[in-house]
Amino acid sequence: MASAAGLLFVLCSFVALFVVEVECWRPGKPISPIRQGVKAPLPSGYSYQTLYYDQQIDHFGFANEKTFKQKYLFADQFWNKKGPIFFYTGNEGTIEWFCNNTGFLWDIAPQFNALLVFAEHRYYGDSLPFGKESYQNSSTLNFLTSEQALADFATLIRYLKATVPHAADKPVVAFGGSYGGMLAAWFRIKYPNVVVGSLAASAPIWEFTGMIPCSSFYDTTSQTWYDASKTCGDNLHRSYETIKQVAAEAGGYDFITDTFKLCTPLKSKYDLGPFMSMLVETYTDLAMVDYPYPASFMAELPGWPVAEACSYLSQPLEGKDLLRGLSRVTNMYFNYTGTTDCVHWNGSGGTPTLGYEGWDYQSCTEMVMPMCSNGSGIIYNIDWNFQQVSDACYRRYKTRPRENWISLEYWAKELKAASNIIFSNGMYDPWSSGGVLQSISETVVAIQIPRGAHHLDLRAKNPKDTREVIAAREQEINIIKGWLGLTP
Ligand SMILES: *[C@@H]1O[C@H](CO)[C@@H](O)[C@H](O)[C@H]1NC(C)=O
Ligand SMILES: *[C@@H]1O[C@H](CO)[C@@H](O)[C@H](O)[C@H]1NC(C)=O
Ligand SMILES: *[C@@H]1O[C@H](CO)[C@@H](O)[C@H](O)[C@H]1NC(C)=O
Ligand SMILES: *[C@@H]1O[C@H](CO)[C@@H](O)[C@H](O)[C@H]1NC(C)=O
Ligand SMILES: *[C@@H]1O[C@H](CO)[C@@H](O)[C@H](O)[C@H]1NC(C)=O
């Protein structure tokens, strides 16, 4: 999921092992699995092979028997042919990006002697069912669903077990963060025969219609900023009125354009909407990536970026001074490296590796996540109107979202029958609002990480890690050992 509309989301040395082509397991229809070894050195010095699997386009119907090449990253340098398979359920973006941001798996693979697999989600990265035409229309997009993605993961695992020597009887543990975390949890729920357990990090599986109040996401965002500084939160709370006032003054739009170094000038009150929503996105993204050390997850940023941003707003500010303060926040978010010429306010900014387009479509079909705000916190008044969303979806994709499908399909809060899932959440992360924060049973366990941001626990260990995240990772390792029958 990317930013306000979407979501959600470490590293890999290398010896180019060329995996031998092997017969496919699928009965009746021989597919030639393309397994191309590609060198891919990563900063950590880890390495993987980039491989492709001929994946069924449609798992749930029989009219279309075509396949596409699903990319996955394969790292067996830690595997002693006895250890488990750790499987990352890819989310909405190119898989290397998630691999680059899931250092936890690389950190723990040696102690588990684990085989690592990162599977790309269909319709993202290079895993395009209809190539360049995958996003053409609602017919080509029709196979972009979480159910198809889970079936991809399950069939890929069956294929790997059938073809990788010594893999057949090894237990598989699923890992994912954000939407990938939702998929990891749902994977265990739907395919307990395939995975022994799942670590679902920052997985907002309850961010859907009817499960939590629509204000929850922005309430948590506000909380994170108010925690950093009350004065800072109050400044942000007042700022929207201030923006409108300053804009209404003579030369007001030019002042805002110049102060924020906007790429396109603000010209009228109609531009204020998208401009302010850019600010809201900045605040939610900063809360998401409020890591204790400098990171470049969604943007290049200093450690504790929310506190850093609040250092520009630590005094009660008004009028143009307040806007200058805000511009230092956007400057930090968009321009920490000092190489950004101007700030986009009309939707052209953002993280290019995240599949905005794909997630937008998923939001217009299955992933209906109501979000609203009554303006009492740092976010202005935002209404949630399903009909409007549905109409906008129809105009764009000729699809209408099914508001209540996910809750039926994936059990909503009725998780008592599930087992072996860890739901971890960083409590600074706005997405924790839709997460499972209390344990459901002995084996469906919630881990809260105070002062934690979006799936901080999945990131590579860092000297600046808080004791809370260190403790969370230890607990996760012990639970996973339990699933694998290893003594903690
Ligand atoms: C992952 O890290 C490698 C090594 O730093 C880099 O070359 C590559 O561009 C990164 N990929 C993504 C998608 O972030
Ligand atoms: C959708 O796009 C595909 C690929 O370009 C094309 O073959 C098909 O006719 C289109 N379908 C509709 C309903 O426009
Ligand atoms: C980014 O930082 C550089 C160096 O400080 C500055 O020259 C430039 O104007 C900044 N860009 C924006 C958009 O603030
Ligand atoms: C943003 O505005 C610029 C200039 O008007 C335009 O070229 C660009 O296409 C706009 N982007 C979006 C996403 O609307
Ligand atoms: C606005 O929302 C906040 C947080 O959800 C809630 O505590 C507050 O009571 C609401 N205020 C009004 C006026 O509805």
Side-chain angles (χ1 to χ4, degrees), residues 256-298:
I256 299 174
T257 299
D258 294 345
T259 304
F260 287 84
K261 298 206 172 73
L262 301 178
C263 301
T264 322
L266 292 182
K267 294 212 171 80
S268 73
K269 65 177 183 189
Y270 300 106
D271 292 340
L272 290 182
F275 171 70
M276 295 199 295
S277 87
M278 177 273 287
L279 294 177
V280 165
E281 243 180 79
T282 300
Y283 308 149
T284 53
D285 285 357
L286 283 171
M288 261 176 79
V289 299
D290 199 15
Y291 299 123
Y293 45 82
S296 57
F297 181 55
M298 295 179 76

mmCIF file of all heavy atoms in Angstrom, residues 256-298:
data_model
loop_
_atom_site.group_PDB
_atom_site.id
_atom_site.type_symbol
_atom_site.label_atom_id
_atom_site.label_comp_id
_atom_site.label_asym_id
_atom_site.label_seq_id
_atom_site.Cartn_x
_atom_site.Cartn_y
_atom_site.Cartn_z
ATOM 1 N N ILE A 256 3.105 30.875 -1.485
ATOM 2 C CA ILE A 256 3.123 29.439 -1.175
ATOM 3 C C ILE A 256 3.966 28.691 -2.210
ATOM 4 O O ILE A 256 4.808 27.851 -1.871
ATOM 5 C CB ILE A 256 1.685 28.869 -1.122
ATOM 6 C CG1 ILE A 256 0.890 29.571 -0.025
ATOM 7 C CG2 ILE A 256 1.701 27.366 -0.890
ATOM 8 C CD1 ILE A 256 -0.581 29.201 0.032
ATOM 9 N N THR A 257 3.774 29.022 -3.477
ATOM 10 C CA THR A 257 4.538 28.368 -4.544
ATOM 11 C C THR A 257 6.039 28.539 -4.315
ATOM 12 O O THR A 257 6.813 27.574 -4.403
ATOM 13 C CB THR A 257 4.154 28.974 -5.912
ATOM 14 O OG1 THR A 257 2.756 28.752 -6.136
ATOM 15 C CG2 THR A 257 4.955 28.349 -7.042
ATOM 16 N N ASP A 258 6.449 29.757 -3.986
ATOM 17 C CA ASP A 258 7.885 30.029 -3.799
ATOM 18 C C ASP A 258 8.406 29.385 -2.522
ATOM 19 O O ASP A 258 9.484 28.781 -2.511
ATOM 20 C CB ASP A 258 8.141 31.537 -3.727
ATOM 21 C CG ASP A 258 7.829 32.214 -5.052
ATOM 22 O OD1 ASP A 258 7.711 31.487 -6.061
ATOM 23 O OD2 ASP A 258 7.685 33.453 -5.070
ATOM 24 N N THR A 259 7.643 29.509 -1.444
ATOM 25 C CA THR A 259 8.109 28.990 -0.151
ATOM 26 C C THR A 259 8.293 27.474 -0.203
ATOM 27 O O THR A 259 9.281 26.937 0.293
ATOM 28 C CB THR A 259 7.108 29.363 0.954
ATOM 29 O OG1 THR A 259 6.943 30.774 0.934
ATOM 30 C CG2 THR A 259 7.598 28.929 2.327
ATOM 31 N N PHE A 260 7.349 26.784 -0.821
ATOM 32 C CA PHE A 260 7.432 25.320 -0.892
ATOM 33 C C PHE A 260 8.197 24.855 -2.124
ATOM 34 O O PHE A 260 8.337 23.660 -2.333
ATOM 35 C CB PHE A 260 6.017 24.707 -0.885
ATOM 36 C CG PHE A 260 5.340 24.763 0.461
ATOM 37 C CD1 PHE A 260 4.670 25.899 0.874
ATOM 38 C CD2 PHE A 260 5.397 23.683 1.333
ATOM 39 C CE1 PHE A 260 4.050 25.955 2.127
ATOM 40 C CE2 PHE A 260 4.789 23.732 2.575
ATOM 41 C CZ PHE A 260 4.113 24.881 2.975
ATOM 42 N N LYS A 261 8.670 25.792 -2.946
ATOM 43 C CA LYS A 261 9.365 25.456 -4.196
ATOM 44 C C LYS A 261 8.548 24.440 -5.001
ATOM 45 O O LYS A 261 9.011 23.334 -5.331
ATOM 46 C CB LYS A 261 10.764 24.918 -3.920
ATOM 47 C CG LYS A 261 11.667 25.942 -3.226
ATOM 48 C CD LYS A 261 13.131 25.651 -3.530
ATOM 49 C CE LYS A 261 14.061 26.729 -3.029
ATOM 50 N NZ LYS A 261 14.222 26.733 -1.550
ATOM 51 N N LEU A 262 7.331 24.805 -5.293
ATOM 52 C CA LEU A 262 6.441 23.886 -6.010
ATOM 53 C C LEU A 262 6.788 23.847 -7.500
ATOM 54 O O LEU A 262 7.142 24.870 -8.088
ATOM 55 C CB LEU A 262 4.988 24.335 -5.831
ATOM 56 C CG LEU A 262 4.501 24.399 -4.383
ATOM 57 C CD1 LEU A 262 3.056 24.897 -4.322
ATOM 58 C CD2 LEU A 262 4.619 23.036 -3.705
ATOM 59 N N CYS A 263 6.688 22.666 -8.094
ATOM 60 C CA CYS A 263 7.024 22.512 -9.518
ATOM 61 C C CYS A 263 6.034 23.264 -10.400
ATOM 62 O O CYS A 263 6.387 23.824 -11.425
ATOM 63 C CB CYS A 263 7.008 21.038 -9.906
ATOM 64 S SG CYS A 263 8.143 20.027 -8.972
ATOM 65 N N THR A 264 4.760 23.198 -9.989
ATOM 66 C CA THR A 264 3.724 23.884 -10.760
ATOM 67 C C THR A 264 3.125 24.934 -9.835
ATOM 68 O O THR A 264 2.831 24.615 -8.685
ATOM 69 C CB THR A 264 2.604 22.897 -11.146
ATOM 70 O OG1 THR A 264 3.207 21.643 -11.474
ATOM 71 C CG2 THR A 264 1.805 23.389 -12.312
ATOM 72 N N PRO A 265 2.949 26.174 -10.293
ATOM 73 C CA PRO A 265 2.417 27.205 -9.398
ATOM 74 C C PRO A 265 0.990 26.895 -8.953
ATOM 75 O O PRO A 265 0.208 26.355 -9.730
ATOM 76 C CB PRO A 265 2.452 28.488 -10.249
ATOM 77 C CG PRO A 265 3.149 28.158 -11.494
ATOM 78 C CD PRO A 265 3.255 26.678 -11.631
ATOM 79 N N LEU A 266 0.681 27.255 -7.718
ATOM 80 C CA LEU A 266 -0.702 27.224 -7.260
ATOM 81 C C LEU A 266 -1.382 28.448 -7.846
ATOM 82 O O LEU A 266 -0.831 29.549 -7.807
ATOM 83 C CB LEU A 266 -0.778 27.307 -5.742
ATOM 84 C CG LEU A 266 -0.274 26.156 -4.889
ATOM 85 C CD1 LEU A 266 -0.513 26.481 -3.417
ATOM 86 C CD2 LEU A 266 -0.964 24.866 -5.246
ATOM 87 N N LYS A 267 -2.586 28.265 -8.361
ATOM 88 C CA LYS A 267 -3.237 29.397 -9.017
ATOM 89 C C LYS A 267 -4.573 29.765 -8.393
ATOM 90 O O LYS A 267 -4.962 30.921 -8.411
ATOM 91 C CB LYS A 267 -3.461 29.066 -10.495
ATOM 92 C CG LYS A 267 -2.156 28.935 -11.265
ATOM 93 C CD LYS A 267 -2.330 29.393 -12.707
ATOM 94 C CE LYS A 267 -1.026 29.490 -13.451
ATOM 95 N NZ LYS A 267 -0.569 28.158 -13.932
ATOM 96 N N SER A 268 -5.293 28.784 -7.880
ATOM 97 C CA SER A 268 -6.627 29.098 -7.380
ATOM 98 C C SER A 268 -6.949 28.204 -6.203
ATOM 99 O O SER A 268 -6.203 27.274 -5.888
ATOM 100 C CB SER A 268 -7.658 28.867 -8.477
ATOM 101 O OG SER A 268 -7.833 27.476 -8.657
ATOM 102 N N LYS A 269 -8.105 28.479 -5.591
ATOM 103 C CA LYS A 269 -8.485 27.671 -4.431
ATOM 104 C C LYS A 269 -8.673 26.206 -4.813
ATOM 105 O O LYS A 269 -8.574 25.328 -3.966
ATOM 106 C CB LYS A 269 -9.742 28.246 -3.778
ATOM 107 C CG LYS A 269 -10.974 28.184 -4.639
ATOM 108 C CD LYS A 269 -12.186 28.705 -3.876
ATOM 109 C CE LYS A 269 -13.407 28.559 -4.764
ATOM 110 N NZ LYS A 269 -14.598 29.169 -4.305
ATOM 111 N N TYR A 270 -8.917 25.929 -6.092
ATOM 112 C CA TYR A 270 -9.076 24.536 -6.513
ATOM 113 C C TYR A 270 -7.759 23.770 -6.423
ATOM 114 O O TYR A 270 -7.755 22.548 -6.356
ATOM 115 C CB TYR A 270 -9.644 24.457 -7.943
ATOM 116 C CG TYR A 270 -10.983 25.131 -8.032
ATOM 117 C CD1 TYR A 270 -11.127 26.373 -8.661
ATOM 118 C CD2 TYR A 270 -12.108 24.551 -7.441
ATOM 119 C CE1 TYR A 270 -12.358 27.008 -8.702
ATOM 120 C CE2 TYR A 270 -13.338 25.171 -7.465
ATOM 121 C CZ TYR A 270 -13.460 26.405 -8.107
ATOM 122 O OH TYR A 270 -14.675 27.028 -8.125
ATOM 123 N N ASP A 271 -6.655 24.509 -6.429
ATOM 124 C CA ASP A 271 -5.356 23.846 -6.290
ATOM 125 C C ASP A 271 -5.025 23.541 -4.828
ATOM 126 O O ASP A 271 -4.115 22.761 -4.544
ATOM 127 C CB ASP A 271 -4.240 24.728 -6.875
ATOM 128 C CG ASP A 271 -4.353 24.864 -8.386
ATOM 129 O OD1 ASP A 271 -5.022 24.008 -9.009
ATOM 130 O OD2 ASP A 271 -3.773 25.822 -8.944
ATOM 131 N N LEU A 272 -5.749 24.201 -3.907
ATOM 132 C CA LEU A 272 -5.402 24.015 -2.495
ATOM 133 C C LEU A 272 -5.705 22.596 -2.027
ATOM 134 O O LEU A 272 -4.991 22.047 -1.182
ATOM 135 C CB LEU A 272 -6.146 25.033 -1.614
ATOM 136 C CG LEU A 272 -5.673 26.484 -1.770
ATOM 137 C CD1 LEU A 272 -6.455 27.387 -0.817
ATOM 138 C CD2 LEU A 272 -4.170 26.620 -1.509
ATOM 139 N N GLY A 273 -6.760 21.987 -2.577
ATOM 140 C CA GLY A 273 -7.115 20.615 -2.204
ATOM 141 C C GLY A 273 -5.954 19.646 -2.432
ATOM 142 O O GLY A 273 -5.460 19.035 -1.479
ATOM 143 N N PRO A 274 -5.515 19.515 -3.690
ATOM 144 C CA PRO A 274 -4.386 18.599 -3.923
ATOM 145 C C PRO A 274 -3.106 19.003 -3.192
ATOM 146 O O PRO A 274 -2.351 18.146 -2.745
ATOM 147 C CB PRO A 274 -4.172 18.649 -5.445
ATOM 148 C CG PRO A 274 -5.131 19.626 -5.996
ATOM 149 C CD PRO A 274 -6.121 19.999 -4.934
ATOM 150 N N PHE A 275 -2.908 20.307 -3.018
ATOM 151 C CA PHE A 275 -1.716 20.752 -2.281
ATOM 152 C C PHE A 275 -1.782 20.262 -0.828
ATOM 153 O O PHE A 275 -0.824 19.692 -0.300
ATOM 154 C CB PHE A 275 -1.611 22.281 -2.344
ATOM 155 C CG PHE A 275 -0.551 22.851 -1.447
ATOM 156 C CD1 PHE A 275 0.792 22.658 -1.726
ATOM 157 C CD2 PHE A 275 -0.896 23.575 -0.301
ATOM 158 C CE1 PHE A 275 1.780 23.174 -0.891
ATOM 159 C CE2 PHE A 275 0.076 24.092 0.541
ATOM 160 C CZ PHE A 275 1.417 23.882 0.243
ATOM 161 N N MET A 276 -2.945 20.446 -0.197
ATOM 162 C CA MET A 276 -3.062 20.019 1.202
ATOM 163 C C MET A 276 -3.053 18.498 1.309
ATOM 164 O O MET A 276 -2.559 17.950 2.288
ATOM 165 C CB MET A 276 -4.328 20.623 1.831
ATOM 166 C CG MET A 276 -4.217 22.141 1.907
ATOM 167 S SD MET A 276 -5.355 22.921 3.065
ATOM 168 C CE MET A 276 -6.922 22.558 2.352
ATOM 169 N N SER A 277 -3.554 17.803 0.298
ATOM 170 C CA SER A 277 -3.498 16.348 0.409
ATOM 171 C C SER A 277 -2.058 15.854 0.240
ATOM 172 O O SER A 277 -1.674 14.839 0.827
ATOM 173 C CB SER A 277 -4.499 15.673 -0.524
ATOM 174 O OG SER A 277 -3.987 15.461 -1.774
ATOM 175 N N MET A 278 -1.237 16.628 -0.504
ATOM 176 C CA MET A 278 0.202 16.305 -0.547
ATOM 177 C C MET A 278 0.805 16.428 0.860
ATOM 178 O O MET A 278 1.611 15.601 1.290
ATOM 179 C CB MET A 278 0.906 17.242 -1.539
ATOM 180 C CG MET A 278 2.404 17.088 -1.652
ATOM 181 S SD MET A 278 3.345 18.056 -0.467
ATOM 182 C CE MET A 278 3.174 19.704 -1.097
ATOM 183 N N LEU A 279 0.369 17.456 1.609
ATOM 184 C CA LEU A 279 0.877 17.623 2.982
ATOM 185 C C LEU A 279 0.449 16.440 3.856
ATOM 186 O O LEU A 279 1.265 15.862 4.582
ATOM 187 C CB LEU A 279 0.351 18.932 3.586
ATOM 188 C CG LEU A 279 0.846 20.225 2.940
ATOM 189 C CD1 LEU A 279 0.181 21.436 3.605
ATOM 190 C CD2 LEU A 279 2.366 20.340 3.039
ATOM 191 N N VAL A 280 -0.816 16.065 3.745
ATOM 192 C CA VAL A 280 -1.313 14.952 4.554
ATOM 193 C C VAL A 280 -0.547 13.670 4.225
ATOM 194 O O VAL A 280 -0.162 12.903 5.105
ATOM 195 C CB VAL A 280 -2.835 14.764 4.328
ATOM 196 C CG1 VAL A 280 -3.310 13.419 4.840
ATOM 197 C CG2 VAL A 280 -3.602 15.892 5.002
ATOM 198 N N GLU A 281 -0.299 13.457 2.939
ATOM 199 C CA GLU A 281 0.473 12.279 2.541
ATOM 200 C C GLU A 281 1.889 12.324 3.134
ATOM 201 O O GLU A 281 2.423 11.310 3.573
ATOM 202 C CB GLU A 281 0.571 12.202 1.018
ATOM 203 C CG GLU A 281 -0.098 10.979 0.468
ATOM 204 C CD GLU A 281 0.001 10.906 -1.037
ATOM 205 O OE1 GLU A 281 1.058 10.520 -1.545
ATOM 206 O OE2 GLU A 281 -1.005 11.245 -1.710
ATOM 207 N N THR A 282 2.453 13.511 3.151
ATOM 208 C CA THR A 282 3.790 13.667 3.734
ATOM 209 C C THR A 282 3.767 13.276 5.214
ATOM 210 O O THR A 282 4.636 12.535 5.685
ATOM 211 C CB THR A 282 4.270 15.123 3.566
ATOM 212 O OG1 THR A 282 4.307 15.426 2.180
ATOM 213 C CG2 THR A 282 5.644 15.337 4.179
ATOM 214 N N TYR A 283 2.743 13.738 5.936
ATOM 215 C CA TYR A 283 2.695 13.429 7.377
ATOM 216 C C TYR A 283 2.457 11.941 7.628
ATOM 217 O O TYR A 283 3.071 11.358 8.524
ATOM 218 C CB TYR A 283 1.592 14.238 8.079
ATOM 219 C CG TYR A 283 1.646 15.729 7.812
ATOM 220 C CD1 TYR A 283 0.488 16.509 7.794
ATOM 221 C CD2 TYR A 283 2.861 16.374 7.567
ATOM 222 C CE1 TYR A 283 0.527 17.876 7.546
ATOM 223 C CE2 TYR A 283 2.905 17.741 7.311
ATOM 224 C CZ TYR A 283 1.743 18.477 7.286
ATOM 225 O OH TYR A 283 1.782 19.817 7.022
ATOM 226 N N THR A 284 1.581 11.328 6.838
ATOM 227 C CA THR A 284 1.332 9.900 7.061
ATOM 228 C C THR A 284 2.563 9.077 6.672
ATOM 229 O O THR A 284 2.953 8.162 7.386
ATOM 230 C CB THR A 284 0.099 9.393 6.281
ATOM 231 O OG1 THR A 284 0.249 9.734 4.909
ATOM 232 C CG2 THR A 284 -1.174 10.022 6.782
ATOM 233 N N ASP A 285 3.192 9.447 5.559
ATOM 234 C CA ASP A 285 4.389 8.703 5.137
ATOM 235 C C ASP A 285 5.505 8.838 6.179
ATOM 236 O O ASP A 285 6.202 7.874 6.483
ATOM 237 C CB ASP A 285 4.896 9.207 3.778
ATOM 238 C CG ASP A 285 4.020 8.731 2.627
ATOM 239 O OD1 ASP A 285 3.068 7.975 2.886
ATOM 240 O OD2 ASP A 285 4.282 9.122 1.475
ATOM 241 N N LEU A 286 5.664 10.033 6.734
ATOM 242 C CA LEU A 286 6.722 10.223 7.730
ATOM 243 C C LEU A 286 6.445 9.389 8.979
ATOM 244 O O LEU A 286 7.366 8.835 9.584
ATOM 245 C CB LEU A 286 6.881 11.701 8.077
ATOM 246 C CG LEU A 286 7.625 12.524 7.019
ATOM 247 C CD1 LEU A 286 7.540 14.013 7.329
ATOM 248 C CD2 LEU A 286 9.096 12.091 6.914
ATOM 249 N N ALA A 287 5.169 9.290 9.369
ATOM 250 C CA ALA A 287 4.836 8.445 10.520
ATOM 251 C C ALA A 287 5.134 6.978 10.192
ATOM 252 O O ALA A 287 5.634 6.223 11.022
ATOM 253 C CB ALA A 287 3.365 8.619 10.900
ATOM 254 N N MET A 288 4.853 6.580 8.944
ATOM 255 C CA MET A 288 5.125 5.203 8.517
ATOM 256 C C MET A 288 6.606 4.858 8.598
ATOM 257 O O MET A 288 6.978 3.746 8.937
ATOM 258 C CB MET A 288 4.701 5.022 7.050
ATOM 259 C CG MET A 288 3.368 4.391 6.834
ATOM 260 S SD MET A 288 2.990 4.374 5.066
ATOM 261 C CE MET A 288 3.934 2.984 4.482
ATOM 262 N N VAL A 289 7.437 5.823 8.223
ATOM 263 C CA VAL A 289 8.877 5.527 8.119
ATOM 264 C C VAL A 289 9.656 6.205 9.234
ATOM 265 O O VAL A 289 10.811 6.574 9.070
ATOM 266 C CB VAL A 289 9.453 5.911 6.733
ATOM 267 C CG1 VAL A 289 8.761 5.119 5.650
ATOM 268 C CG2 VAL A 289 9.319 7.400 6.458
ATOM 269 N N ASP A 290 9.021 6.303 10.400
ATOM 270 C CA ASP A 290 9.675 6.969 11.532
ATOM 271 C C ASP A 290 10.663 6.001 12.200
ATOM 272 O O ASP A 290 10.476 5.569 13.336
ATOM 273 C CB ASP A 290 8.602 7.443 12.524
ATOM 274 C CG ASP A 290 9.127 8.510 13.466
ATOM 275 O OD1 ASP A 290 10.201 9.071 13.181
ATOM 276 O OD2 ASP A 290 8.465 8.783 14.497
ATOM 277 N N TYR A 291 11.696 5.655 11.468
ATOM 278 C CA TYR A 291 12.706 4.708 11.938
ATOM 279 C C TYR A 291 13.760 5.437 12.769
ATOM 280 O O TYR A 291 13.995 6.628 12.566
ATOM 281 C CB TYR A 291 13.373 4.004 10.750
ATOM 282 C CG TYR A 291 12.419 3.208 9.888
ATOM 283 C CD1 TYR A 291 12.297 3.453 8.519
ATOM 284 C CD2 TYR A 291 11.617 2.210 10.449
ATOM 285 C CE1 TYR A 291 11.411 2.732 7.722
ATOM 286 C CE2 TYR A 291 10.733 1.488 9.659
ATOM 287 C CZ TYR A 291 10.631 1.750 8.307
ATOM 288 O OH TYR A 291 9.753 1.034 7.530
ATOM 289 N N PRO A 292 14.413 4.709 13.704
ATOM 290 C CA PRO A 292 15.365 5.361 14.613
ATOM 291 C C PRO A 292 16.683 5.763 13.952
ATOM 292 O O PRO A 292 17.506 6.399 14.603
ATOM 293 C CB PRO A 292 15.617 4.300 15.691
ATOM 294 C CG PRO A 292 15.052 3.032 15.210
ATOM 295 C CD PRO A 292 14.142 3.306 14.055
ATOM 296 N N TYR A 293 16.873 5.381 12.718
ATOM 297 C CA TYR A 293 18.149 5.653 12.043
ATOM 298 C C TYR A 293 17.863 6.119 10.620
ATOM 299 O O TYR A 293 16.762 5.878 10.092
ATOM 300 C CB TYR A 293 19.015 4.384 12.001
ATOM 301 C CG TYR A 293 18.227 3.168 11.583
ATOM 302 C CD1 TYR A 293 17.980 2.901 10.226
ATOM 303 C CD2 TYR A 293 17.684 2.306 12.530
ATOM 304 C CE1 TYR A 293 17.228 1.813 9.847
ATOM 305 C CE2 TYR A 293 16.920 1.204 12.152
ATOM 306 C CZ TYR A 293 16.692 0.969 10.808
ATOM 307 O OH TYR A 293 15.927 -0.109 10.421
ATOM 308 N N PRO A 294 18.809 6.798 9.990
ATOM 309 C CA PRO A 294 18.570 7.257 8.620
ATOM 310 C C PRO A 294 18.244 6.072 7.714
ATOM 311 O O PRO A 294 18.863 5.022 7.817
ATOM 312 C CB PRO A 294 19.900 7.892 8.214
ATOM 313 C CG PRO A 294 20.588 8.219 9.485
ATOM 314 C CD PRO A 294 20.154 7.172 10.477
ATOM 315 N N ALA A 295 17.235 6.220 6.898
ATOM 316 C CA ALA A 295 16.831 5.131 6.020
ATOM 317 C C ALA A 295 16.331 5.727 4.719
ATOM 318 O O ALA A 295 16.058 6.925 4.628
ATOM 319 C CB ALA A 295 15.733 4.302 6.683
ATOM 320 N N SER A 296 16.207 4.884 3.715
ATOM 321 C CA SER A 296 15.683 5.376 2.444
ATOM 322 C C SER A 296 14.579 4.445 1.979
ATOM 323 O O SER A 296 14.600 3.941 0.888
ATOM 324 C CB SER A 296 16.792 5.451 1.404
ATOM 325 O OG SER A 296 17.389 4.183 1.261
ATOM 326 N N PHE A 297 13.607 4.215 2.838
ATOM 327 C CA PHE A 297 12.538 3.278 2.487
ATOM 328 C C PHE A 297 11.586 3.905 1.471
ATOM 329 O O PHE A 297 11.397 3.396 0.382
ATOM 330 C CB PHE A 297 11.788 2.830 3.738
ATOM 331 C CG PHE A 297 10.694 1.857 3.459
ATOM 332 C CD1 PHE A 297 10.957 0.680 2.776
ATOM 333 C CD2 PHE A 297 9.398 2.115 3.855
ATOM 334 C CE1 PHE A 297 9.947 -0.229 2.497
ATOM 335 C CE2 PHE A 297 8.381 1.200 3.583
ATOM 336 C CZ PHE A 297 8.656 0.041 2.912
ATOM 337 N N MET A 298 10.988 5.010 1.797
ATOM 338 C CA MET A 298 10.135 5.681 0.822
ATOM 339 C C MET A 298 10.806 6.957 0.329
ATOM 340 O O MET A 298 10.504 7.465 -0.737
ATOM 341 C CB MET A 298 8.774 5.988 1.423
ATOM 342 C CG MET A 298 8.025 4.702 1.744
ATOM 343 S SD MET A 298 6.431 4.972 2.492
ATOM 344 C CE MET A 298 5.488 5.472 1.064
#
